C-alpha cells in the first residue's frame, strides 16, 4: 500500500498508527485477564479483514489485474526466506501422501498480491480459531476449522 501512495497523508498515517497502538494495548489488557477472549477478538478482526479484502478484490479485479507487482510484494512473497513464510502458515492442507502442503503464492499482477494478502488474513483467522477452541495453533486440519461460537447463556432460573 505504501508503494502505491497509501502513506502519503500524515493524518492517515497518524490515525492508523495511533489506532494500532491503542488496539495493541487493549488486546494485551484483555489477554492478561482472559487469553481465549483476546484470541477471539483477533479472530473476529482477521475474519473482517478477509471479507474486506475479498470485497475489494471483487470490486477492483479488472483494474488490479492490469497493474504490476510492487517490488516490496515480490521481495516478501517470493525472494525472502520461504521457511519463515511456511512457518507462519500454521493451518495447512495435507497432500496425497498426508504431508502438510507448502503454500507458495503466484505473483503476476497486483491482483495476485491482494489475493495473497487476503489469504494471509484467512491463515491468521484459522490459527486464532484453533487457539480459542483447542489452545493449540494446529488444533484441527485446515478444512475442519470453523468460527468460534459463543457459549449458550444459561437460563435465568438456573442462576443463583
Amino acid at each position: 500500500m505504501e508503494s502505491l501512495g497509501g502513506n502519503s497523508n500524515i493524518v492517515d498515517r497518524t490515525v492508523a498508527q495511533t489506532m494500532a497502538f491503542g488496539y495493541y494495548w487493549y488486546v494485551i489488557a484483555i489477554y492478561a485477564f482472559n487469553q481465549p477472549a483476546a484470541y477471539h477478538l483477533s479472530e473476529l478482526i482477521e475474519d473482517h479483514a478477509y471479507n474486506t479484502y475479498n470485497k475489494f478484490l471483487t470490486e477492483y479485479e479488472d483494474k488490479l489485474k492490469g497493474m504490476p507487482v510492487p517490488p516490496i510484494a515480490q521481495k516478501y512473497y517470493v525472494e525472502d526466506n520461504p521457511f519463515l513464510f511456511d512457518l507462519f502458515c500454521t493451518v495447512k492442507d495435507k497432500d496425497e501422501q498426508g504431508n502438510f502442503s507448502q503454500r507458495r503464492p503466484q505473483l503476476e499482477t497486483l491482483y495476485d498480491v491482494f489475493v495473497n494478502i487476503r489469504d494471509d488474513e484467512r491463515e491468521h483467522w484459522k490459527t486464532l480459531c484453533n487457539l480459542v477452541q483447542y489452545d493449540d495453533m494446529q488444533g484441527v486440519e485446515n478444512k475442519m476449522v470453523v468460527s468460534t461460537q459463543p457459549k449458550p447463556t444459561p437460563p435465568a432460573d438456573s442462576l443463583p
Side-chain angles (χ1 to χ4, degrees), residues 1-8 13 67-76 110 113-114 117:
M1 294 303 293
E2 292 164 348
S3 66
L4 298 172
N7 68 342
S8 59
R13 282 197 319 268
M67 299 174 77
V69 175
I72 190 71
Q74 182 73 23
K75 181 180 183 315
Y76 177 77
L110 189 57
V113 173
F114 278 102
I117 293 170

Side-chain angles (χ1 to χ4, degrees), residues 12-48:
D12 290 343
R13 282 197 319 268
T14 303
V15 169
Q17 289 173 354
T18 302
M19 289 178 66
F21 181 80
Y23 170 74
Y24 172 81
W25 286 107
Y26 178 70
V27 172
I28 293 293
I30 292 173
Y31 185 86
F33 295 102
N34 188 330
Q35 292 176 8
Y39 291 142
H40 183 61
L41 175 61
S42 295
E43 173 192 333
L44 295 172
I45 289 171
E46 295 295 345
D47 189 45
H48 177 72

Side-chain angles (χ1 to χ4, degrees), residues 90-92 94 100 123 125-146:
T90 58
V91 186
K92 303 173 186 162
K94 290 187 177 180
F100 286 110
E123 291 299 319
W125 172 84
K126 289 186 282 190
T127 300
L128 289 159
C129 288
N130 276 332
L131 283 169
V132 172
Q133 297 167 36
Y134 304 101
D135 197 27
D136 183 348
M137 289 182 8
Q138 294 178 328
V140 295
E141 260 184 74
N142 191 7
K143 64 184 171 210
M144 297 174 60
V145 176
V146 295

